[in-house]
Amino acid sequence: MARRILPGFPLALGITLVYVSIIVVLPLGALVFKAASLGFEDYWRIVSSPRAVASYRVTALSALAATAFNLVFGMALAWVLVRYRFPGRRFIDALVDLPFALPTAVAGIALTTLFAENGWFGQALAQAGIKVAYTPLGIMVAMAFTSLPFIVRTVQPVLEDLDPALEEAAQTLGGSDRSIFLRVILPLLAPALLAGLSLSFARSLGEFGAIIFIAGNQPMSTEITALLAFIRLEEYDYQAAAAIASVLLITAFMMLAITNILQARALRYTARG
């Protein structure tokens, strides 16, 4: 009699599905149901209001800027942690996970303290004419801080598993460091990079606690979409809050779908190569 690979699979699958339904599907279903209770005209009026559109613009542009910064800095940090050995490496490696462990409100207060005009970093930046706290730049800083680990932790294990023989073979064929990175290493990192970028961007879109302390929260200027939804909740306008939140939900699903398509293509390219 053949033994099952996973003993108790039906029970484990049932518990998993119940857990996912309660934790994920039920809240999302409630959000969609609340937003759907609005007529199309009312829904469109809420999500296309000037204040809402301004919050989409601030949130999306800030998230894109933070993700672009994390792409460069996170990739470089993962590369250094994997390829080099130096004093304090383990401490820096552990420090990468700090945004995961730190409450977002605490992160927001700390960033505001550092980047305010009288803060450690803010004073030096103010002398150069750069203001961070209570500006869109502060939003980008908060988003970059909270979403950086996603890129580092998705790229780092792939770098560790790369076969050194591939780089050695490219070097024997006369490849420069730049061409080896772009034509050998980067294609192998592409699926992990896409996963990290999507997670980083999604985290930036939905970030709330770290941003509200440093953003200034001025409508039409530094107000993010999550804060606008929260304001509608405080006003007991649950339908408007659900409608605004549904825009973030739709954006997240679209981004995940596009990312999965790009990842599948990257994996096919890697397999062929």
Side-chain angles (χ1 to χ4, degrees), residues 3 16 79 81-82 84 105 127 136 138 141 143 197 213 215 234:
R3 297 179 59 186
T16 302
W79 184 275
L81 291 174
V82 172
Y84 299 97
Q127 293 177 358
V141 170
M143 288 181 174
L197 287 173
F213 291 98
E234 286 190 323

Side-chain angles (χ1 to χ4, degrees), residues 118-142:
N118 59 347
W120 291 353
F121 300 155
Q123 288 180 349
L125 293 172
Q127 293 177 358
I130 302 174
K131 185 179 181 181
V132 177
Y134 315 122
T135 67
L137 184 56
I139 300 176
M140 300 174 194
V141 170

Side-chain angles (χ1 to χ4, degrees), residues 15-175:
I15 294 174
T16 302
L17 292 177
V18 171
Y19 178 81
V20 171
S21 299
I22 295 175
I23 301 299
V24 179
V25 178
L26 188 60
L28 294 181
L31 173 64
V32 173
F33 177 78
K34 198 68 177 180
S37 64
L38 290 166
F40 178 78
E41 293 183 0
D42 291 334
Y43 178 84
W44 182 251
R45 175 179 54 81
I46 293 171
V47 300
S48 63
S49 65
R51 185 173 177 180
V53 173
S55 73
Y56 305 151
R57 182 176 62 252
V58 171
T59 303
L61 293 179
S62 299
L64 285 173
T67 304
F69 171 81
N70 285 341
L71 172 61
V72 177
F73 184 74
M75 176 67 185
L77 181 56
W79 184 275
V80 169
L81 291 174
V82 172
R83 295 300 179 96
Y84 299 97
R85 297 296 180 267
F86 53 89
R89 174 180 168 275
R90 291 184 180 274
F91 174 75
I92 296 177
D93 189 38
L95 203 62
V96 171
D97 294 325
L98 180 62
F100 286 155
L102 195 66
T104 55
V106 176
I109 295 173
L111 291 174
T112 305
T113 303
L114 289 173
F115 288 98
E117 292 186 356
N118 59 347
W120 291 353
F121 300 155
Q123 288 180 349
L125 293 172
Q127 293 177 358
I130 302 174
K131 185 179 181 181
V132 177
Y134 315 122
T135 67
L137 184 56
I139 300 176
M140 300 174 194
V141 170
M143 288 181 174
F145 174 80
T146 56
S147 60
L148 175 64
F150 289 102
I151 292 182
V152 178
R153 292 311 186 207
T154 53
V155 173
Q156 188 175 358
V158 180
L159 277 174
E160 292 174 347
D161 292 338
L162 283 182
D163 188 358
L166 297 175
E167 298 177 52
E168 294 172 359
Q171 288 176 346
T172 58
L173 294 174

